[in-house]
């Protein structure tokens, strides 16, 4: 499930199962705690994850923090990359709007089958323009299917439920992509929508809610949960599914404890942090069964839990793990990369690559050389612009040289990625390989513009 073999036409109809782990956490301006193994399920031997989707709210967004995070990676992104890159996960895309951050990581084998179509921020805060509330979205194609991923932070307080629902609708309306050949968001194969939605528990008093939580009697509280009530009355919201709330409300806690709010305000606990999903309606489906998916694209919920051991915030994080079963609509990468074999480490390495007939190359396409364990696409140790350095081509087979004179003797394994400027995505990867030892040349600075994503 986690490792991908190349598929030929005879196997392209085979159903694949990919595991996706979704995280939502209002971190209340806190720095990452030292150990996030439980949050990321790193010690769960029954999981073989393919994709991480991570949404944070209320990251530190003071002016100095934002300036620092613009120049460098923010602490949370760096932390997740440090933890996940040794496990072969690469940061595929990210989008930030003030305190909202959305990250996608995938096993590197999946990169040629992930195309980032757009990232978008929708502010709904003060006067409808301030980004402390709203949503951030990443829109992509995953093995040929349209997927939208939205991380949101909706208005607080029990009395503002109508405003919350209005903001939910506004974020949804603003997510459509302008290209003519891209369907409306409601026609996307999958929408993952999560975040600090701030829905509260109506009617019941503080004492009743806390006693119900203490006795793990959640059913009465479910009936008065504002999101559950809204789904009973709103046909569109009803199309978004959610797992059972079998965990205690995740807000509001005293920081650095597992005690619900003991301040003077004594806010009533609530399930503010939620993870929803929606599968595309099928044309033949009846109006009362809107969440039926195509037989070749099905989502199964494996877990929906909170992680009570983390106490750096007044919210507890919530995660869902899904199994996505699909028949790939794209069965082969657009580019096939082959380093010279055996790879003898002279100052240049010869790379052969072939293109599919429908691939439109660009003068700004480039091939990057990476060590296995890279954090993101800009982590190359060398690169080459394919048009500028092409040495031969015939019958769809192209060859270029890439400079490896700066690479020291190492037992590390390497990868080649082909990046398409037109598609803004990796469209081909090599298998891992080693560069044989040699007498290494002196370092020399690269004097041309380096590609950055």
């Amino acid at each position: 499930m986690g490792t991908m073999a190349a598929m030929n036409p005879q196997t392209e109809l085979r159903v694949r199962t990919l595991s996706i782990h979704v995280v939502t956490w209002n971190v209340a301006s806190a720095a990452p705690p030292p150990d996030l193994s439980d949050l990321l399920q790193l010690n769960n031997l029954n999981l073989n994850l393919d994709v991480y989707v991570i949404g944070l709210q209320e990251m530190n967004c003071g002016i100095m923090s934002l300036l620092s995070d613009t120049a460098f990676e923010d602490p949370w992104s760096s932390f997740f990359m440090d933890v996940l890159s040794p496990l072969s996960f690469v940061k595929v895309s990210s989008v930030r709007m003030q305190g909202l951050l959305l990250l996608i990581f995938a096993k590197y084998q999946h990169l040629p089958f992930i195309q980032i179509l757009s990232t978008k921020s929708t502010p709904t805060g003060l006067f409808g323009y301030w980004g402390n509330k709203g949503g951030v979205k990443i829109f992509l194609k995953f093995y040929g299917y349209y997927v939208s991923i939205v991380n949101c932070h909706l208005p607080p307080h029990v009395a503002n439920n109508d405003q919350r629902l209005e903001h939910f609708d506004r974020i949804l309306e603003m997510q459509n992509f302008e290209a003519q050949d891209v369907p409306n968001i409601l026609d996307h194969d999958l929408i993952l929508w999560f975040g600090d939605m701030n829905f509260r528990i109506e009617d019941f008093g503080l004492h009743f809610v806390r006693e119900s939580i203490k006795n793990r009697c959640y059913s009465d509280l479910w009936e008065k949960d504002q999101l559950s009530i809204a789904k009973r009355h709103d046909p569109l919201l009803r199309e978004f599914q959610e797992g059972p709330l079998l965990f205690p409300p995740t807000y509001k806690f005293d920081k650095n404890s597992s005690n619900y709010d003991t301040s003077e305000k004594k806010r009533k606990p609530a399930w503010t942090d939620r993870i929803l999903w929606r599968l595309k309606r099928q044309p033949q489906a009846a109006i009362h069964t809107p969440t039926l998916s195509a037989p070749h694209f099905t989502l199964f919920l494996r877990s929906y839990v909170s992680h009570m051991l983390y106490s750096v915030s007044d919210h507890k994080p919530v995660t869902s793990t899904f199994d996505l079963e699909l028949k790939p609509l794209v069965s082969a990468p657009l580019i096939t990369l082959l380093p010279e074999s055996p790879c003898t480490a002279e100052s240049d390495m010869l790379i052969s690559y072939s293109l599919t007939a429908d691939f439109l190359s660009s003068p700004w396409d480039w091939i990057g050389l990476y060590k296995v364990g890279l954090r993101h696409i800009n982590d190359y140790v060398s690169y080459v612009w394919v048009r500028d350095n092409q040495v031969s081509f015939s019958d769809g087979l192209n060859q270029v040289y890439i400079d490896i004179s700066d690479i020291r003797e190492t037992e590390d394994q390497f990868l080649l990625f082909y990046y398409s400027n037109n598609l803004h995505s990796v469209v081909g990867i090599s298998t891992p390989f080693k560069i044989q030892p040699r007498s290494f040349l002196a370092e020399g600075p690269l004097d041309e513009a380096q590609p950055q994503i």
Side-chain angles (χ1 to χ4, degrees):
M1 178 162 55
T3 303
M4 186 183 68
M7 288 179 286
N8 59 39
Q10 284 72 39
T11 62
E12 66 180 7
L13 295 180
R14 178 171 57 89
V15 173
R16 300 200 57 202
T17 301
L18 304 172
S19 287
I20 302 172
H21 190 64
V22 180
V23 175
T24 181
W25 193 4
N26 183 322
V27 298
S29 299
D35 185 358
L36 290 178
S37 297
D38 183 67
L39 183 74
L40 300 174
Q41 293 292 283
L42 300 182
N43 300 322
N44 188 336
L45 300 180
N46 296 319
L47 282 182
N48 188 7
L49 293 169
D50 296 277
V51 177
Y52 280 96
V53 176
I54 300 170
L56 304 181
Q57 307 87 39
E58 287 194 25
M59 283 179 55
N60 189 347
C61 58
I63 185 64
M64 293 309 296
S65 173
L66 286 173
L67 288 173
S68 173
D69 294 349
T70 300
F72 309 99
E73 291 285 353
D74 67 87
W76 283 92
S77 295
S78 293
F79 188 96
F80 287 123
M81 285 190 286
D82 289 344
V83 171
L84 295 175
S85 60
L87 304 175
S88 297
F89 285 93
V90 178
K91 188 182 80 169
V92 177
S93 185
S94 66
V95 57
R96 181 174 180 182
M97 179 180 70
Q98 289 183 221
L100 276 168
L101 176 68
L102 176 58
L103 299 162
I104 299 178
F105 292 84
K107 288 275 183 71
Y108 71 78
Q109 296 95 331
H110 298 298
L111 294 186
F113 304 99
I114 300 174
Q115 181 187 350
I116 303 300
L117 297 175
S118 73
T119 60
K120 188 167 187 177
S121 302
T122 305
T124 62
L126 188 65
F127 304 117
Y129 295 103
W130 190 242
N132 63 323
K133 296 291 187 290
V136 289
K137 182 197 77 167
I138 296 174
F139 174 36
L140 55 92
K141 290 182 82 171
F142 188 56
Y143 284 90
Y145 295 92
Y146 289 107
V147 177
S148 278
I149 300 172
V150 182
N151 171 28
C152 73
H153 193 185
L154 302 181
H157 308 309
V158 66
N160 290 333
N161 194 43
D162 289 344
Q163 188 182 18
R164 267 188 290 281
L165 295 171
E166 177 189 328
H167 284 207
F168 186 97
D169 289 342
R170 191 188 313 170
I171 294 168
L172 185 63
E173 290 169 4
M174 295 295 290
Q175 299 314 310
N176 286 319
F177 196 51
E178 295 177 357
Q180 293 182 348
D181 59 341
V182 175
N184 181 286
I185 186 172
L186 295 178
D187 291 319
H188 294 178
D189 297 285
L190 173 64
I191 303 172
L192 288 172
W193 191 308
F194 48 86
D196 179 1
M197 298 189 180
N198 258 321
F199 290 105
R200 306 304 171 99
I201 296 171
E202 293 186 343
D203 298 341
F204 296 133
L206 175 65
H207 179 74
F208 180 84
V209 171
R210 288 194 173 182
E211 282 299 306
S212 298
I213 296 169
K214 181 180 177 181
N215 297 317
R216 302 184 67 85
C217 297
Y218 301 137
S219 56
D220 288 337
L221 304 184
W222 296 335
E223 291 298 312
K224 296 298 183 180
D225 169 67
Q226 290 178 329
L227 178 56
S228 302
I229 294 170
K231 290 179 70 174
R232 292 197 288 268
H233 296 96
D234 186 328
L236 179 58
L237 197 55
R238 196 181 307 140
E239 295 180 8
F240 285 86
Q241 301 183 63
E242 183 180 21
L245 294 169
L246 302 178
F247 49 86
T250 54
Y251 175 82
K252 175 181 172 68
F253 290 85
D254 292 336
K255 287 188 179 182
N256 302 310
S257 83
S258 290
N259 301 319
Y260 285 104
D261 188 13
T262 59
S263 69
E264 290 184 7
K265 294 183 178 180
K266 285 190 171 60
R267 292 179 181 86
K268 190 164 57 175
W271 287 288
T272 56
D273 310 282
R274 313 291 275 267
I275 299 174
L276 312 177
W277 75 92
R278 179 188 183 274
L279 293 166
K280 184 175 75 171
R281 286 184 292 179
Q282 296 304 299
Q284 69 272 22
I287 193 169
H288 298 298
T289 57
T291 57
L292 291 177
S293 66
H296 56 270
F297 191 90
T298 310
L299 198 68
F300 298 97
L301 178 67
R302 290 183 61 169
S303 71
Y304 187 34
V305 297
S306 63
H307 299 262
M308 304 300 285
L309 63 92
Y310 297 108
S311 59
V312 297
S313 168
D314 54 358
H315 290 250
K316 302 298 182 183
V318 172
T319 64
S320 284
T321 305
F322 297 96
D323 280 347
L324 176 61
E325 288 190 0
L326 56 81
K327 288 182 181 177
L329 300 178
V330 179
S331 59
L334 293 171
I335 299 286
T336 302
L337 284 162
L338 296 169
E340 61 180 331
S341 181
C343 180
T344 55
E346 301 299 329
S347 59
D348 294 317
M349 179 176 70
L350 182 66
I351 302 168
S352 301
Y353 65 95
S354 59
L355 299 73
T356 57
D358 56 346
F359 177 69
L360 182 62
S361 62
S362 158
W364 297 104
D365 290 355
W366 52 277
I367 295 172
L369 176 67
Y370 300 83
K371 286 185 179 180
V372 172
L374 67 149
R375 292 153 53 95
H376 52 74
I377 195 67
N378 290 335
D379 258 354
Y380 50 79
V381 295
S382 187
Y383 67 93
V384 60
W385 300 102
V386 294
R387 290 279 182 90
D388 291 348
N389 296 275
Q390 190 167 276
V391 293
S392 68
F393 61 93
S394 62
D395 298 327
L397 185 66
N398 300 264
Q399 291 185 317
V400 295
Y401 280 109
I402 188 169
D403 180 12
I404 57 172
S405 60
D406 287 339
I407 297 174
R408 297 296 182 229
E409 183 172 350
T410 176
E411 289 298 312
D412 292 334
Q413 289 193 310
F414 291 84
L415 291 163
L416 293 168
F417 288 5
Y418 186 111
Y419 185 86
S420 166
N421 185 66
N422 291 331
L423 298 178
H424 307 293
S425 301
V426 172
V427 293
I429 62 173
S430 71
T431 55
F433 61 92
K434 285 187 176 181
I435 297 177
Q436 299 299 323
R438 67 178 178 92
S439 298
F440 288 88
L441 302 180
E443 290 188 9
L446 294 172
D447 57 5
E448 58 180 311
Q450 297 186 13
Q452 293 288 319
I453 309 306

